[in-house]
Amino acid sequence: TIDLDEQARDILKMNDRGGYTIPTKGLYPYQWNWDSAFAALGFAQFNCARAWAELETLFSAQWADGMVPHIVFHKADPGYYPGPDVWGGTGPIPSSGITQPPIAATMARLIFEKDQSLGEEHMRTLFPKLRRWHSWFMQWRLDQGAVCVTHPWEAGRDNTPEWDAPMARIDPTDVGEYVRRDTQHVDGSMRPTKYDYDRYIWLVQMGRRLHWDQQKLLDENPFRVADPTMTFTLLRAQRDLLAMGQMLGLDVDGIAEEIEILEQGAQTLWNPEIESFDARDAHSGEWANCVSNASFLCWYAGLDSEGQTKQLQRVLDKVQYGVPSHDPESDKFDGRRYWRGPTWAVMNLLIGLGLEERNHPLAERVRIATKTLIEESGFSEYFDPTDGSAAGGQGFTWTAAVWLSWAG
Ligand code: DGY
């Protein structure tokens, strides 16, 4: 593992573009929001100053309304589509117009705990920015207290079956011609289909036409889904923000109340029919009826669930290399297609942290599965849960960060 430690550090350095880290060369040549927060945690294992720089470059792209974008286009790269001109983001740095799961506050707390004397000033500066981002979610994205996504890319879980029904309602015939770049970097069988991509781009075009005005998007956007990823990560992030604020004597007014709203919201994602946390279409009220790896973020959010434990036991017994992103017993399961089955080390890290904190008997099983995957198949973007083989982009920042901070 000495060798793997070194390889993981090398990947972070190789993907470092000076103050920010790209997920992987070619496929993702910019700064991605939650990738960056994981990268920061990875850097903190050997260079805390660099870890803070990662979060600071991300927040330098924060919009006036508080949103922190999902991609920051620091430097143009023609190898990626859709780029800054397609998005038309209105922030201080060219960016996309949507956000991503808010894990930054949680990562900031973990980084702070590694070196408190170095971290204190950084945390004080970051705190109000995190607070504004979280408030933006509370203002614009709640449905019965659960947090919604307004584009499949926002959850980071692009083509999960959870979005199939709401995506089917979008008619993308006027999307126009465009050239995908992702399938020039990795095999198309591992990526979302053209059917999905037309709708992703159609949603981007709509946001751009509305200048990413949240009120107008709320009125017009046909895609609005209350999502376990967003709800559980924000609930957790708010708990960490409150703890940090209290420790540093900062203004934490209102955070405890917001946590209560999110706790109630999280319960509205419990689908009794499948006995699992699930995504719920905010427009139609319909359940996705999916057990995904996001369903297993409840412990990370500080919530216990016996029912979810049974589900985790079941899916881990079904595939050798969990946690699969989609139920392996579902007919929609596809072990290589991105978020329709593959195992993602970063989701395992969040699931595993939550389980460990609660001394859950399945905690070690999730960590060992992750460790084994990386030992056997390297630092790839994600893995086939049935045979453990590597899939997606290689030399991947967040998988390296998971190794350094937790799995290795
Ligand atoms: C992509 O380009 O596939 C990304 O997932 C968008 O965030």
Side-chain angles (χ1 to χ4, degrees):
T1 64
I2 304 257
D3 189 36
L4 283 174
D5 288 356
E6 207 172 291
Q7 281 181 39
R9 284 192 292 268
D10 285 349
I11 286 170
L12 291 187
K13 290 178 202 159
M14 181 178 75
N15 291 335
D16 186 352
R17 292 294 176 271
Y20 72 94
T21 313
I22 60 168
T24 186
K25 209 168 110 227
L27 188 58
Y28 305 116
Y30 296 111
Q31 183 174 30
W32 258 260
N33 187 320
W34 70 328
D35 290 76
S36 222
F38 285 115
L41 183 66
F43 275 117
Q45 311 309 311
F46 60 100
N47 183 347
C48 275
R50 179 61 187 78
W52 287 110
E54 187 76 34
L55 295 177
E56 283 155 8
T57 50
L58 177 63
F59 278 81
S60 70
Q62 185 166 36
W63 288 22
D65 66 0
M67 189 195 75
V68 182
H70 106 291
I71 311 176
V72 188
F73 303 110
H74 292 284
K75 224 170 60 190
D77 188 314
Y80 183 81
Y81 181 88
D85 47 324
V86 183
W87 281 99
T90 62
I93 299 177
S95 75
S96 67
I98 56 172
T99 193
Q100 252 182 345
I103 61 161
T106 302
M107 299 303 139
R109 183 179 183 187
L110 293 171
I111 296 161
F112 173 77
E113 283 167 358
K114 285 218 92 95
D115 183 343
Q116 299 209 2
S117 60
L118 176 82
E120 180 164 344
E121 267 322 293
H122 292 286
M123 195 64 223
R124 282 182 188 280
T125 313
L126 199 56
F127 183 90
K129 300 178 186 178
L130 289 164
R131 181 84 181 101
R132 288 210 302 125
W133 187 26
H134 294 182
S135 300
W136 175 87
F137 279 107
M138 300 300 296
Q139 181 177 3
W140 294 113
R141 291 303 172 80
L142 295 192
D143 180 81
Q144 300 173 50
V147 185
C148 296
V149 284
T150 62
H151 189 297
W153 286 341
E154 260 188 338
R157 301 184 297 117
D158 304 11
N159 64 343
T160 169
E162 285 148 284
W163 320 141
D164 286 0
M167 285 281 270
R169 274 207 303 272
I170 296 174
D171 172 10
T173 40
D174 57 352
V175 75
E177 290 293 314
Y178 64 93
V179 179
R180 277 176 76 165
R181 304 306 300 257
D182 60 321
T183 43
Q184 298 172 350
H185 299 291
V186 301
D187 193 87
S189 64
M190 298 189 291
R191 297 289 303 174
T193 57
K194 172 163 167 60
Y195 172 95
D196 283 327
Y197 240 79
D198 283 352
R199 286 160 178 79
Y200 299 155
I201 301 304
W202 187 89
L203 286 167
V204 171
Q205 291 170 346
M206 177 194 58
R208 186 197 167 104
R209 176 168 51 78
L210 300 177
H211 304 286
W212 302 106
D213 180 314
Q214 292 301 320
Q215 185 58 55
K216 291 186 181 148
L217 280 164
L218 193 57
D219 298 338
E220 266 196 46
N221 191 344
F223 188 92
R224 188 172 172 89
V225 185
D227 163 45
T229 335
M230 286 295 181
T231 306
F232 290 141
T233 56
L234 185 62
L235 176 48
R236 170 60 185 255
Q238 292 274 52
R239 296 192 201 280
D240 288 319
L241 196 69
L242 178 60
M244 295 304 313
Q246 283 168 338
M247 181 187 291
L248 297 174
L250 303 170
D251 178 10
V252 296
D253 222 35
I255 303 180
E257 290 74 12
E258 293 179 1
I259 289 173
E260 262 177 56
I261 293 170
L262 292 166
E263 279 175 340
Q264 286 167 17
Q267 296 310 331
T268 73
L269 294 182
W270 180 259
N271 178 347
E273 265 163 50
I274 61 165
E275 296 183 24
S276 176
F277 287 107
D278 191 10
R280 172 168 47 72
D281 188 325
H283 288 309
S284 69
E286 279 162 10
W287 291 113
N289 289 316
C290 290
V291 180
S292 74
N293 51 357
S295 310
F296 302 119
L297 293 175
C298 54
W299 300 282
Y300 174 81
L303 307 171
D304 269 324
S305 169
E306 259 178 60
Q308 205 64 56
T309 296
K310 284 195 200 121
Q311 297 286 358
L312 184 57
Q313 184 79 54
R314 180 178 63 80
V315 301
L316 289 177
D317 287 346
K318 195 75 200 164
V319 293
Q320 202 182 338
Y321 302 89
V323 180
S325 47
H326 187 62
D327 190 337
E329 295 191 89
S330 150
D331 54 8
K332 290 187 169 178
F333 175 83
D334 179 341
R336 290 191 78 75
R337 203 179 283 279
Y338 217 40
W339 290 90
R340 301 181 79 85
T343 292
W344 294 73
V346 281
M347 292 295 281
N348 282 13
L349 165 67
L350 302 183
I351 295 166
L353 281 182
L355 293 170
E356 279 170 13
E357 287 164 356
R358 311 193 80 78
N359 295 316
H360 194 289
L362 291 173
E364 190 59 4
R365 192 153 164 203
V366 172
R367 196 184 68 81
I368 295 296
T370 315
K371 183 171 190 277
T372 310
L373 276 170
I374 297 173
E375 281 169 350
E376 290 181 6
S377 299
F379 298 98
S380 73
E381 184 178 4
Y382 53 91
F383 306 88
D384 186 324
T386 58
D387 63 6
S389 59
Q394 302 306 307
F396 223 86
T397 293
W398 68 10
T399 308
V402 169
W403 178 266
L404 291 171
S405 60
W406 175 68

